[in-house]
Amino acid sequence: LAKTTQPISMDSYEGQEVNITCSHNNIATNDYITWYQQFPSQGPRFIIQGYKTKVTNEVASLFIPADRKSSTLSLPRVSLSDTAVYYCLVGDGGNTGTASKLTFGTGTRLQVTL
Amino acid sequence: EAQVTQNPRYLITVTGKKLTVTCSQNMNHEYMSWYRQDPGLGLRQIYYSMNVEVTDKGDVPEGYKVSRKEKRNFPLILESPSPNQTSLYFCASSLLIRDRANEQFFGPGTRLTVL
């Protein structure tokens, strides 16, 4: 089962771009990479998901190199409200019988200040 | 409103007293899952379900049971709770796309304390 490693914490100023990297060295061929955001006392909230190269939505971009052993979540122009914990999640390949066992990392605590 | 609900939100109980935490979703999702969250350990999957009557163990299933008799409900059962099960519990649901869990929607959490 693929494990993930993220920095424990990061600091940023408001308006800057923030990049959070997740390592997943033993990712399986069919695994997808998903990022979630969590505020205190709330459930995680989906941000973005990808398989390879680059994915972009209205809130973030996800960069995945060719070897897929890592991924980078990019948050453009963060604001104070982006202060949260960000989780990288790897899984699953969708093979019937082994699918959907999902592993979260320990998360990166992002602190945004003025 | 599309949502995942959990009950109770807070529970204090004693060792050995059986309890059930309910989880319900109104989005017709096939996939449902339970996680526990502990300081420094992130979210760890307890059990998951791909559909009605289909459940499987996650990373930390010991001491827990689940059932999936209806598509919308996925209760978490602690037959004999112990203090090491004191934690924050989250239920989540998702559509399955080609047997793969897609974006998960999480409930508000249940904070359980076992004395």
Side-chain angles (χ1 to χ4, degrees):
Chain A
L1 190 64
K3 299 294 184 185
T4 61
T5 303
Q6 305 173 231
I8 294 174
S9 64
M10 297 180 68
D11 296 310
S12 178
Y13 292 108
E14 197 173 42
Q16 290 187 326
E17 178 184 77
V18 171
N19 296 308
I20 306 173
T21 297
C22 179
S23 296
H24 27 79
N25 290 320
N26 57 340
I27 187 170
T29 301
N30 294 332
D31 281 347
Y32 280 71
I33 300 151
T34 313
W35 285 80
Y36 286 83
Q37 176 192 56
Q38 186 181 29
F39 298 110
S41 301
Q42 294 184 24
R45 186 176 67 175
F46 175 89
I47 301 174
I48 198 167
Q49 183 180 73
Y51 181 79
K52 62 180 178 180
T53 62
K54 177 183 175 182
V55 180
T56 298
N57 62 21
E58 62 275 9
V59 298
S61 294
L62 177 60
F63 298 92
I64 305 169
D67 66 6
R68 303 196 334 114
K69 293 183 183 299
S70 66
S71 59
T72 299
L73 174 72
S74 181
L75 304 172
R77 297 179 298 282
V78 295
S79 65
L80 296 176
S81 64
D82 292 317
T83 294
V85 178
Y86 293 82
Y87 290 97
C88 165
L89 171 64
V90 174
D92 60 272
N95 298 312
T96 301
T98 63
S100 297
K101 185 173 182 178
L102 303 173
T103 300
F104 278 82
T106 53
T108 298
R109 187 173 301 275
L110 174 64
Q111 179 68 51
V112 181
T113 55
L114 291 173
Chain B
E1 179 190 355
Q3 60 182 347
V4 178
T5 57
Q6 297 178 226
N7 281 293
R9 294 289 312 281
Y10 302 90
L11 179 61
I12 300 174
T13 188
V14 295
T15 299
K17 186 176 181 182
K18 180 179 179 179
L19 66 91
T20 299
V21 183
T22 64
C23 173
S24 182
Q25 49 92 8
N26 61 1
M27 296 169 279
N28 202 35
H29 286 167
E30 300 92 349
Y31 180 85
M32 297 187 75
S33 180
W34 276 102
Y35 298 88
R36 62 176 289 175
Q37 185 170 37
D38 303 289
L41 296 177
L43 287 122
R44 294 180 292 170
Q45 192 177 44
I46 303 171
Y47 269 96
Y48 64 94
S49 171
M50 300 283 281
N51 215 324
V52 175
E53 303 292 359
V54 180
T55 63
D56 208 345
K57 297 177 181 179
D59 288 325
V60 288
E62 295 78 20
Y64 304 95
K65 288 175 58 177
V66 293
S67 69
R68 188 90 182 273
K69 293 183 171 58
E70 304 165 283
K71 196 172 187 178
R72 64 182 294 129
N73 296 323
F74 190 46
L76 179 69
I77 303 156
L78 284 73
E79 295 271 2
S80 183
S82 62
N84 64 12
Q85 292 179 298
T86 292
S87 187
L88 178 59
Y89 291 87
F90 288 102
C91 180
S93 74
S94 167
L95 285 172
L96 283 179
I97 298 177
R98 290 193 290 273
D99 280 345
R100 177 176 59 82
N102 199 34
E103 172 184 353
Q104 291 186 78
F105 292 82
F106 282 79
T110 295
R111 188 166 294 280
L112 172 66
T113 301
V114 183
L115 302 174

